[in-house]
Amino acid sequence: MAGSIAIVTGAAGDIGRAISLRLASDHDHVLLVDLDGDAAERAARAMGSADRFEAFACDITDTAQLERLAARAAALGTLSTLVNNAGAARAVSLHETTPDIWRMDNQLNLEAAYLTFRALAEQLKASRGSLINIASVNGLNVFGHPAYSAAKAGLIHFTRLVAVEYGKFGIRANAVAPGTVRTQAWEARAAANPNVFEEARRWYPLQKVVDPEDVAEAVAFLASPLARAISGVCLPVDCGLTAGQAELARTFSQSEHY
Ligand SMILES: NC(=O)c1ccc[n+]([C@@H]2O[C@H](COP(=O)([O-])OP(=O)(O)OC[C@H]3O[C@@H](n4cnc5c(N)ncnc54)[C@H](O)[C@@H]3O)[C@@H](O)[C@H]2O)c1
């Protein structure tokens, strides 16, 4: 990927940083896009030189700011990979979800991914580039955080929409659906219950949660020529969670082998 650029949104977060660092192995420049420009700048400087890692302060829900991002990417080189990674969840149950929370979660987790793709689609067409949307297991099954989950389910379908309509331009679009990843997004839950990761682990067939680097490896694979025939899929990176639960299989089958 000579002269190529990767854009990662939400790049100051734990998963975004891991993806940015990993994509630097296959791209010449990584644009670390985040609402928190200072945090993105700190992350970029921790990763390496300014000609390889560039921070870009941007609210991806704002089309004018996305136009500036597109202009910066065009000036920097050839956009090979766009990773829509920024996301957040605000309310844990439907009972606690207000109309504002519903709208905000959909705006950030679904609409902003569409807006970011829209701003950069011409550059991706020109380079026959790749789009990777960071969804969640919450978009595949019910695990709490309803507005976020509905938006992530929409994001998985948006991935298919791009794959089908833009495939003729050589654009591949895929999603990654992480399970529980130990990041700053879990701070409040970990503060309320220090055992939250231990308790989560027991539901995972591999009996562990996901590391940010695990997500980054899946993104790097989907962005690479190794995945040249893969488009429109959602790849769970979930230590087996969406395959099923051993405890449930043990109850249903009454077999001690689960
Ligand atoms: N942590 C998990 O367990 C987990 C599980 C499944 C999926 N995910 C997904 O992975 C992605 C990254 O999650 P994380 O845990 O690293 O989150 P994080 O909170 O650590 O990082 C998210 C980053 O997005 C940025 N951001 C928020 N709003 C923005 C906006 N409007 N414009 C630009 N940037 C904005 C934040 O400043 C932050 O740096 C999210 O899409 C999340 O839904 C996380």
Side-chain angles (χ1 to χ4, degrees), residues 68-88:
R68 287 199 284 280
L69 171 64
R72 181 61 198 140
L76 201 55
T78 303
L79 178 62
S80 299
T81 306
L82 167 62
V83 185
N84 279 322
N85 167 71

Side-chain angles (χ1 to χ4, degrees), residues 36 39 53 56 63 65 125 151 153 162 166 187 200 207 222-223 244 251-252:
D36 187 340
F53 300 95
F56 194 92
T63 51
Q65 295 187 38
K125 274 161 71 172
V162 174
Y166 286 77
E187 257 169 29
Q207 300 182 350
L222 289 171
T251 303
F252 285 173

Side-chain angles (χ1 to χ4, degrees), residues 3-162:
S4 64
I5 306 171
I7 292 181
V8 181
T9 69
D14 295 284
I15 295 173
R17 288 201 311 274
I19 293 170
S20 299
L21 194 56
R22 177 62 186 82
L23 289 182
S25 307
D26 310 317
H27 298 74
D28 294 311
H29 310 281
V30 183
L31 264 180
L32 288 88
V33 177
D34 205 285
L35 185 61
D36 187 340
D38 292 341
E41 184 62 35
R42 281 195 301 277
R45 293 294 59 80
M47 284 177 208
S49 62
D51 61 329
R52 301 228 50 218
F53 300 95
E54 182 173 315
F56 194 92
C58 178
D59 179 349
I60 59 162
T61 64
D62 181 323
T63 51
Q65 295 187 38
L66 285 170
E67 285 310 316
R68 287 199 284 280
L69 171 64
R72 181 61 198 140
L76 201 55
T78 303
L79 178 62
S80 299
T81 306
L82 167 62
V83 185
N84 279 322
N85 167 71
R90 291 175 179 88
V92 293
S93 67
L94 275 176
H95 181 77
E96 284 138 297
T97 302
T98 62
D100 274 350
I101 287 175
W102 183 269
R103 280 191 285 267
M104 282 192 297
D105 273 12
N106 276 276
Q107 190 183 29
L108 176 60
N109 295 290
L110 175 57
E111 186 183 298
Y114 151 71
L115 293 176
T116 307
F117 171 73
R118 187 173 179 275
L120 295 160
E122 288 307 313
Q123 293 183 49
L124 287 172
K125 274 161 71 172
S127 66
R128 302 176 73 79
S130 165
L131 168 70
I132 295 154
N133 291 321
I134 306 302
S136 167
V137 292
N138 285 51
L140 299 169
N141 220 324
V142 174
F143 297 112
H145 294 97
Y148 166 83
S149 302
K152 291 293 191 182
L155 184 62
I156 293 167
H157 200 65
F158 171 62
T159 308
R160 297 188 196 106
L161 296 171
V162 174

